Amino acid sequence: MPFCDQGSSDRKQYLNLSMEAWEIINYDQCRFASTDSKGPKLPLSTFLNQIFQNFYETADASIALQAENHAQKLREILSDGEDRSGLRKKSSPSRGRKPGRTADSMENSNSVGSTNNMNSVGSTNNMNSADSMDNMNSADSTSSMDRTIEKLTAAYVEKLREKSTSYAKGKGEKFRLNQENFSYLTDEDSECQEELFYSSIGQYLKALFEEYASLTHLQREAVYYRSVLETIQQAFDSNSAVRVTHVRGFQFEFQPYRVLSDLSSTYHYLIGYSTPLNMDIDYDVTNQPVPCRARPATIRISNIADAKVVRRKSGKLTARQKEELKTILNDNGPQFMADDTHEIHIHLTPDGISRYNYQLALRPEYTEIIEPDIYVFRCSERQIEYYFFNFGKDAEILKPENLRKHFARRYREAAEGYKKTDT
């Protein structure tokens, strides 16, 4: 049954979370605000309502839901096992009887036989006896399977209950549930059954949000952007294109190839062939105008404001297109795959080599070391800039010349800024 309303007519809810959970939630409020909020941070109620709505169906904290799912999976596994092993017997088709007849129906059949013909009693009883044995075996098997499922589910539920009560107390704050989530938790006709395991809505929500905060960075992003990822999956399943609206308002039609994360598992990216909509001129990653055409592209899932399946347009990619995307991904990775690839030589000091060895985020992989301290890379210039610029004097760009001049110009501009401040 759903939770009692508990007198919260304004839908306000008190929530106590551990300090670690609040830290993660505050961080994600800021991280996801770039797409969903005009301010630097998403309002707490907005953020928590979306997480609950996107997460409750799969969260371990939803014990009633997970117990039901677990029992159903066990039933499917055990039923399949019985069918394969022949343990579940079925009535012979020649008898013309439906399996699973009741005891009452068998008794009625016997009495009819005995009334009509004494000679048929034996044959009728023998046939019904065979049926009875089949049905008793089936009933015993089903009963045994149900008991097994019940025991295994009870053990599973006990693990979930232990997990739900393992979180430490911390700080309490109030937020307002939206109408949809409040109705799910409290309406009489709601399918919510979590009151069987929690004494209050607050206790249930604490377990759910603590579980969310325990997920990895990438898993939490998948929860928050669940609707976008599901839309992309629908496009995959139907071999359709997907129309993507960027947070800056640009629209594209993607023929999707994959959704991937970067090597440091920070963000999800949609990879595919992209065609700009309502544009004659497109712009590349350096903001230079280029002819508008379908081309290899990547977009971070968190930069997608809206996604819709376009069933009238095929999303299928040719073998050549897939091979091209695979090659680009191998060279540049998902976040830089739309950039051109170049051979880049960099001189690293001993401190630069040390930093390169332990700083993994966005790190390009070198193709060779031609001298003890000169590393050769084959990747995009933008990736080199993102990764090596903060190395300062410990990473000197040797070639290409245009990238070397770009670094030098940026360092000069930074130095000029400091000179003005000093003056």
Side-chain angles (χ1 to χ4, degrees):
M1 64 180 69
F3 292 94
C4 296
D5 189 333
Q6 302 172 344
S8 35
S9 57
D10 60 355
R11 305 194 303 273
K12 280 191 175 180
Q13 179 62 50
Y14 179 81
L15 179 66
N16 184 290
L17 297 179
S18 64
M19 298 307 295
E20 293 83 358
W22 279 126
E23 185 176 349
I24 292 293
I25 286 173
N26 288 331
Y27 171 74
D28 286 356
Q29 282 178 261
C30 297
R31 190 164 65 94
F32 299 136
S34 59
T35 57
D36 288 358
S37 176
K38 294 180 180 179
K41 187 176 180 181
L42 281 166
L44 180 63
S45 293
T46 301
F47 178 78
L48 292 180
N49 274 290
Q50 181 151 338
I51 295 303
F52 178 80
Q53 188 169 334
N54 291 355
F55 190 45
Y56 80 87
E57 290 180 352
T58 55
D60 286 346
S62 299
I63 300 175
L65 268 177
Q66 300 317 321
E68 183 180 345
N69 293 338
H70 188 72
Q72 181 59 32
K73 288 177 183 177
L74 289 173
R75 190 169 289 107
E76 291 171 359
I77 292 170
L78 294 176
S79 296
D80 183 61
E82 284 188 350
D83 289 342
R84 289 173 184 270
S85 64
L87 291 175
R88 178 173 291 180
K89 296 182 180 180
K90 298 181 180 180
S91 300
S92 171
S94 62
R95 292 178 182 166
R97 305 198 187 275
K98 295 180 180 180
R101 291 188 302 132
T102 63
D104 286 340
S105 68
M106 286 191 288
E107 287 176 2
N108 290 334
S109 178
N110 285 335
S111 65
V112 170
S114 61
T115 302
N116 290 339
N117 191 336
M118 290 294 292
N119 292 331
S120 67
V121 171
S123 59
T124 304
N125 283 342
N126 287 338
M127 290 175 65
N128 286 323
S129 176
D131 263 353
S132 176
M133 289 299 295
D134 280 354
N135 287 311
M136 286 175 64
N137 289 337
S138 177
D140 287 346
S141 175
T142 302
S143 177
S144 174
M145 182 178 72
D146 288 342
R147 287 194 296 269
T148 300
I149 290 172
E150 187 177 339
K151 288 180 180 179
L152 292 174
T153 302
Y156 176 71
V157 165
E158 187 58 32
K159 286 179 62 177
L160 297 187
R161 296 187 76 163
E162 289 177 5
K163 179 179 178 180
S164 71
T165 58
S166 65
Y167 304 111
K169 288 185 178 181
K171 184 179 72 170
E173 288 194 28
K174 284 188 176 182
F175 77 102
R176 181 176 281 105
L177 286 161
N178 64 27
Q179 186 60 60
E180 184 178 355
N181 290 337
F182 186 73
S183 296
Y184 172 74
L185 292 166
T186 62
D187 280 3
E188 289 184 3
D189 58 350
S190 170
E191 295 181 356
C192 179
Q193 299 290 313
E194 301 308 324
E195 193 180 4
L196 296 170
F197 301 100
Y198 297 97
S199 61
S200 66
I201 293 176
Q203 190 182 47
Y204 172 40
L205 294 180
K206 174 179 173 60
L208 185 140
F209 290 123
E210 293 278 2
E211 182 180 344
Y212 167 82
S214 71
L215 300 177
T216 66
H217 193 281
L218 201 65
Q219 289 170 329
R220 299 198 309 275
E221 183 182 68
V223 169
Y224 190 82
Y225 293 104
R226 174 183 168 181
S227 61
V228 171
L229 291 169
E230 286 180 346
T231 299
I232 294 170
Q233 186 59 53
Q234 290 169 13
F236 278 122
D237 294 342
S238 61
N239 288 320
S240 301
V242 59
R243 178 173 296 176
V244 168
T245 303
H246 193 277
V247 291
R248 295 179 181 175
F250 308 121
Q251 284 194 328
F252 306 88
E253 277 189 357
F254 259 84
Q255 294 168 269
Y257 174 60
R258 286 183 183 175
V259 172
L260 299 172
S261 66
D262 52 75
L263 290 176
S264 55
S265 296
T266 308
Y267 300 105
H268 290 87
Y269 295 84
L270 170 61
I271 312 297
Y273 265 75
S274 169
T275 305
L277 296 178
N278 305 321
M279 294 170 60
D280 295 324
I281 297 295
D282 191 12
Y283 293 87
D284 64 15
V285 291
T286 61
N287 215 30
Q288 298 298 311
V290 295
C292 187
R293 61 180 177 83
R295 58 186 176 86
T298 179
I299 183 171
R300 213 167 77 186
I301 295 298
S302 56
N303 284 331
I304 297 177
D306 186 48
K308 294 179 180 177
V309 178
V310 184
R311 299 189 184 277
R312 60 174 174 75
K313 182 173 181 179
S314 173
K316 284 187 176 181
L317 295 167
T318 65
R320 182 192 63 78
Q321 288 173 321
K322 290 179 180 178
E323 191 60 34
E324 182 181 10
L325 290 171
K326 183 178 178 181
T327 300
I328 296 173
L329 281 169
N330 287 338
D331 288 343
N332 291 2
Q335 64 272 59
F336 300 110
M337 64 156 290
D339 300 350
D340 291 332
T341 300
H342 302 274
E343 184 176 291
I344 300 165
H345 293 220
I346 301 179
H347 170 257
L348 295 176
T349 67
D351 285 344
I353 294 172
S354 178
R355 288 185 66 178
Y356 177 79
N357 287 334
Y358 75 76
Q359 189 170 309
L360 302 181
L362 299 180
R363 185 178 73 177
E365 296 299 321
Y366 64 85
T367 57
E368 60 177 321
I369 303 175
I370 57 177
E371 292 183 27
D373 51 6
I374 297 178
Y375 285 59
V376 179
F377 301 89
R378 183 161 185 79
C379 62
S380 73
E381 294 182 357
R382 188 162 63 118
Q383 184 174 6
I384 292 295
E385 182 176 2
Y386 279 14
Y387 183 80
F388 281 111
F389 188 77
N390 67 354
F391 277 46
K393 63 180 179 59
D394 293 321
E396 180 189 358
I397 309 298
L398 300 179
K399 64 178 186 180
E401 186 64 24
N402 66 308
L403 185 61
R404 178 180 174 86
K405 289 179 178 178
H406 176 68
F407 268 60
R409 178 179 56 79
R410 287 197 62 190
Y411 287 135
R412 279 197 304 271
E413 290 172 351
E416 289 296 327
Y418 280 101
K419 288 179 181 177
K420 293 176 182 178
T421 304
D422 292 341
T423 301

